[in-house]
Amino acid sequence: MTILERIDELRKERGWSVNNLALEAMLTQSTLNNLYMRNAEPKLSTLRALCGAFGITLAQFFAFEEEGETDGELNRRIAALTDEQKEALLVILRSFK
């Protein structure tokens, strides 16, 4: 999976358009459009902004290659939750012993 494919995967999990992602990451839409049109890898500062919008770290962004299928899906789904949903999930997880 390429970096752009990973960005698309995370974007689509959240139901965001490219414009929504640009707004969430506080980037211009032309910045993202240029990445896609040129099939280029983003600068580190752009990737950090994108990770911030997704609510994940750079390490989590690149961890998809190292995780097992179940762990990867779980991490992606958790990252896509709102803060309120994460808190609710944490309450549920704490109930398991």
Side-chain angles (χ1 to χ4, degrees):
M1 178 179 299
T2 68
I3 290 175
L4 287 178
E5 289 170 342
R6 174 72 167 141
I7 291 168
D8 264 350
E9 175 184 59
L10 293 167
R11 179 182 61 80
K12 288 175 183 176
E13 283 176 3
R14 288 156 179 79
W16 293 350
S17 67
V18 173
N19 188 45
N20 292 132
L21 176 56
L23 290 171
E24 292 289 332
M26 293 187 285
L27 297 168
T28 63
Q29 189 171 0
S30 64
T31 297
L32 295 183
N33 286 336
N34 284 334
L35 289 175
Y36 286 108
M37 287 175 32
R38 295 180 181 157
N39 199 29
E41 292 188 0
K43 294 179 183 178
L44 183 57
S45 59
T46 301
L47 190 53
R48 281 187 177 140
L50 293 170
C51 286
F54 293 134
I56 61 173
T57 65
L58 284 169
Q60 289 170 314
F61 180 86
F62 288 107
F64 71 95
E65 294 178 344
E66 299 171 7
E67 296 172 336
E69 200 171 306
T70 302
D71 290 340
E73 179 182 1
L74 184 58
N75 286 332
R76 286 189 302 276
R77 289 183 180 271
I78 290 171
L81 298 175
T82 65
D83 288 341
E84 186 176 290
Q85 291 170 324
K86 288 176 184 176
E87 287 294 325
L89 179 58
L90 191 54
V91 168
I92 292 169
L93 292 173
R94 286 179 178 151
S95 71
F96 295 123
K97 304 227 180 204

